[in-house]
Amino acid sequence: MPFTYEYPRAALTVDCVVFGFDGEGLKLLLIERGLEPFKGRWALPGGFVRVDEELEHAARRELHEETGISEVVLEQFQAFGGINRDPRERVVSVAYFALTRLDDHRPQASTDARQAVWFNANELPKLAFDHQAIIQQALTHLRSRVRVEPIGFHLLPPKFTLTQLQGLYESVLGREVDIRNFRKRVLAMELVVALKKEFQRGRQRPAQLYRFDPKRYEQLKKSGFQFEL
Amino acid sequence: MPFTYEYPRAALTVDCVVFGFDGEGLKLLLIERGLEPFKGRWALPGGFVRVDEELEHAARRELHEETGISEVVLEQFQAFGGINRDPRERVVSVAYFALTRLDDHRPQASTDARQAVWFNANELPKLAFDHQAIIQQALTHLRSRVRVEPIGFHLLPPKFTLTQLQGLYESVLGREVDIRNFRKRVLAMELVVALKKEFQRGRQRPAQLYRFDPKRYEQLKKSGFQFEL
DNA sequence: TTGACTTACTGTCGTTTTCACAATATATAA
DNA sequence: TTATATATTGTGAAAACGACAGTAAGTCAA
C-alpha cells in the first residue's frame, strides 16, 4: 500500500451509457456486475481511471474490457460526484455516452462482468449505484444533441433507408414525425446521398438506401450551416 | 500522512468560469495566483474538492474564498482530465460556469489569491494550467445554452432595458442583431414584463425597464414552450 | 397469372415565421 | 430653441412549416 497522501482522496471512475438502435427502439447496453458491491445487479460499463490515463481512454478501455466494444463514438457529458453514490467510499465518475450500431456489437461476457446485454431504453432493470440517474441525464443529453448535430447516424448501419432514419428520430425524441415533412427536411439538407441502384428489399417495394456524407457536413458547417431536425 | 491507497490517485479540483456583463462586452473574473505553481499568473478561481464535499459545494466555496462572490448561478459543463494539465501531479478538474451581475460583485482579494479582477472576455492574459482551453469550452457552452434557455438574464441587473438585453446577446453570440426583430421576438415570448412608470434615464429618450418573469417561464415550459433567441 | 398485401414514395396549398429595412418619438444639453 | 442621442415602432416580400392522402413497386399465396 505505498500510495499515501496528506488528505483523503476520492476515487475516480468513468461510466459509459451505450446507446444502440435496432429499428424498433432505443437500446442500452448494461452489464451484470460480477463483483461487489452490487454483485449480480445490472450496471453501466465503466471502472477506475488509472492515474496516468486520459479519461476518454479509460472509458474506451473499460468499455472494451467489459463488453468487447471498441471504436465507438464517445462523448463526455457530465461528472457525477454525489457523496454517497458508492457505498465503499467517495467515488467521482465522469460519464460518457456512446453511440454504436447495434449489430456491429453482439456483446460478449468478460472479465469483471458476467454478461453484457442490450435492454430497451424504456424497460430497464433495477440498477447499481446512481446509474439510473446517469442514464436519465444521458437520455436528456442525447435528445438535445441529436436535433442539432448529425450524431444519430452513428446509431444506424452505414447504409440505411429514410424510414430507418425516421424511426430512429421517433425513438430518440419519443414522438411521431410526419413522414413527408421529415423526408423533405432530410433531403433538403443534402447531408445524405442516395446510393445508386442500392435498395433494401423485403416483401414490399424496395427502399432506396442512403449514406451520411461527413465531408459534405464539414463543408456546410464551415459556411455557417446549422444542422436541425 | 495517514491516507494510503492501494493504487495512486488523481487529485480532484473544481474550476469556475465566471461571466459578467457591463453593457459593453462579456467579462471574465480571474484571480492572480498567490501560490505555486504558476504563482503570479492569472487563473480561474477554483481548488481542491474535499473528500466529503459535493462538487457544486466545492465550486461555491472556492469561488467565495477566492473572490468573495456567493449566491451565483452555477452550472457544471465539463470535466478536464488531461494527464499533464497540472505540473505537480495528476489533477482532474470539474469545470463550472457561473453567471453573475457584474456590479453586484466588486471583487476583493483573499486567501489564496492576491486579487480578483474582471477581464474582457476577448482580451485575456496568459493563463495558468489549461485554463485557456477551459474558458474556450465554457464560451462555446454558454453560446449554445444562452439561445435555448433564458439564462442570459442572470448577467443583467434585475431591471434592464431591451437595449441592454440586446447588447448582451450580441456580446455572447458575437454578432449583431436587428433591433426590431429582436424586440419583437423577446416581447412575443412574454417572458419579460414592462415595469410601469419605471424608466432608465440618460441624456436621451428614457428607456422602458423590464424584468424577467421566472414564474411565467415555468408555466410556459410546462406547456411545451421552448425558449429560443 | 392474378390479386392481396406491405411498405416506399411523392406534392400542394394555406399558414406562419422570418427577415430586411427606416422613420418618428422623447428625453437631455448647450 | 435647437442639436443630439437613444428608444421605439410596422410593413411587405420571401421562405419555411405543417397538415394532409393517394400512387408505386415489390412479394407472396392462391
Side-chain angles (χ1 to χ4, degrees):
Chain A
M1 296 274 224
F3 301 102
T4 299
Y5 304 98
E6 191 170 352
Y7 298 98
R9 291 192 169 187
L12 183 66
T13 62
V14 287
D15 285 298
C16 299
V17 183
V18 186
F19 291 104
F21 179 69
D22 66 352
E24 294 300 305
L26 202 58
K27 303 279 185 172
L28 257 167
L29 187 59
L30 299 177
I31 60 162
E32 190 184 349
R33 288 182 58 83
L35 302 170
E36 292 293 350
F38 297 105
K39 185 170 174 177
R41 186 78 71 83
W42 294 96
L44 294 172
F48 291 96
V49 179
R50 296 177 183 155
V51 79
D52 57 352
E53 185 183 35
E54 295 284 347
L55 297 174
E56 186 173 320
H57 183 274
R60 287 187 194 282
R61 178 179 53 73
E62 289 287 349
L63 195 54
H64 184 70
E65 286 175 11
E66 298 188 339
T67 69
I69 290 182
S70 55
E71 306 210 8
V72 73
V73 174
L74 266 189
E75 196 170 309
Q76 187 198 307
F77 70 95
Q78 192 173 84
F80 292 82
I83 293 174
N84 294 308
R85 51 180 300 281
D86 190 307
R88 293 167 290 188
E89 59 168 334
R90 181 79 190 280
V91 178
V92 172
S93 189
V94 177
Y96 284 78
F97 76 82
L99 300 178
T100 180
R101 312 190 206 276
L102 190 54
D103 35 35
D104 289 3
H105 302 293
R106 288 292 147 209
Q108 60 221 40
S110 63
T111 334
D112 301 339
R114 285 183 179 158
Q115 51 176 331
V117 175
W118 288 102
F119 285 81
N120 288 325
N122 40 26
E123 298 172 23
L124 296 178
K126 195 170 181 188
L127 293 165
F129 305 105
D130 57 350
H131 289 186
Q132 179 64 50
I134 295 179
I135 288 171
Q136 203 49 53
Q137 282 303 110
L139 275 166
T140 303
H141 199 82
L142 175 63
R143 270 194 272 269
S144 68
R145 292 279 295 157
V146 83
R147 291 201 311 173
V148 298
E149 294 277 341
I151 55 176
F153 298 101
H154 297 300
L155 291 167
L156 292 176
K159 301 175 183 182
F160 52 85
T161 67
L162 293 188
T163 303
Q164 289 175 312
L165 184 63
Q166 181 179 352
L168 167 63
Y169 271 82
E170 290 182 337
S171 290
V172 172
L173 301 179
R175 58 180 157 83
E176 295 199 343
V177 170
D178 180 85
I179 175 176
R180 284 158 292 189
N181 297 333
F182 181 81
R183 295 169 87 99
K184 258 185 294 184
R185 274 201 297 274
V186 170
L187 295 175
M189 281 192 296
E190 299 185 309
L191 283 177
V192 298
V193 301
L195 297 163
K196 298 211 186 307
K197 298 187 186 162
E198 294 204 61
F199 298 89
Q200 187 175 79
R201 311 177 73 85
R203 62 176 177 182
Q204 76 283 5
R205 174 174 176 174
Q208 175 68 57
L209 286 168
Y210 293 81
R211 66 175 178 80
F212 174 60
D213 186 344
K215 283 183 199 139
R216 177 85 182 127
Y217 176 58
E218 292 307 320
Q219 274 180 13
L220 287 172
K221 209 163 53 168
K222 270 176 199 156
S223 47
F225 163 84
Q226 176 67 24
F227 181 87
E228 186 146 8
L229 268 183
Chain B
M1 295 276 222
F3 302 102
T4 298
Y5 304 98
E6 191 170 353
Y7 298 98
R9 290 193 169 185
L12 183 66
T13 62
V14 287
D15 285 299
C16 298
V17 183
V18 186
F19 291 104
F21 180 70
D22 66 352
E24 294 298 307
L26 202 57
K27 303 278 185 173
L28 259 165
L29 186 59
L30 299 177
I31 61 162
E32 189 183 349
R33 286 182 60 83
L35 302 171
E36 292 293 347
F38 297 105
K39 185 169 173 177
R41 186 79 71 83
W42 294 96
L44 294 171
F48 292 96
V49 179
R50 296 177 182 154
V51 79
D52 58 352
E53 185 183 37
E54 296 284 348
L55 296 174
E56 185 173 320
H57 183 273
R60 286 187 195 283
R61 178 180 51 74
E62 288 286 350
L63 196 54
H64 184 70
E65 287 176 11
E66 298 189 339
T67 70
I69 290 183
S70 55
E71 306 210 8
V72 73
V73 175
L74 265 189
E75 196 170 310
Q76 187 198 306
F77 70 95
Q78 196 175 120
F80 291 82
I83 293 174
N84 293 310
R85 51 180 298 282
D86 190 306
R88 293 166 290 188
E89 60 167 334
R90 181 78 189 280
V91 178
V92 172
S93 189
V94 177
Y96 284 79
F97 75 81
L99 301 178
T100 180
R101 312 192 206 275
L102 191 52
D103 34 36
D104 288 5
H105 302 293
R106 288 294 146 206
Q108 60 220 43
S110 63
T111 333
D112 302 340
R114 285 183 180 158
Q115 53 175 332
V117 175
W118 288 103
F119 285 82
N120 288 326
N122 40 26
E123 298 171 23
L124 297 177
K126 195 170 181 187
L127 293 165
F129 306 105
D130 58 350
H131 288 185
Q132 179 65 50
I134 295 179
I135 289 170
Q136 201 50 52
Q137 282 303 109
L139 275 166
T140 303
H141 198 81
L142 176 62
R143 269 194 273 268
S144 68
R145 292 281 293 159
V146 84
R147 290 200 313 173
V148 297
E149 294 277 342
I151 56 175
F153 298 102
H154 297 300
L155 290 167
L156 292 176
K159 301 175 183 181
F160 52 86
T161 67
L162 293 188
T163 303
Q164 288 175 313
L165 184 62
Q166 180 178 353
L168 167 63
Y169 271 82
E170 290 182 337
S171 291
V172 172
L173 300 179
R175 58 181 157 82
E176 295 199 345
V177 170
D178 180 85
I179 177 176
R180 283 159 291 189
N181 296 332
F182 181 81
R183 295 169 86 99
K184 257 184 295 183
R185 274 201 297 275
V186 170
L187 295 175
M189 282 193 296
E190 298 185 310
L191 283 176
V192 297
V193 301
L195 297 162
K196 299 211 186 307
K197 298 189 186 162
E198 295 205 59
F199 298 89
Q200 188 175 77
R201 311 176 74 85
R203 62 175 177 185
Q204 77 283 7
R205 175 174 175 176
Q208 175 68 56
L209 285 167
Y210 293 82
R211 66 175 179 80
F212 174 60
D213 186 344
K215 283 185 201 138
R216 177 86 182 127
Y217 176 58
E218 292 307 320
Q219 274 180 13
L220 287 172
K221 208 163 54 169
K222 270 177 198 154
S223 48
F225 162 84
Q226 176 69 21
F227 180 87
E228 187 149 3
L229 268 183

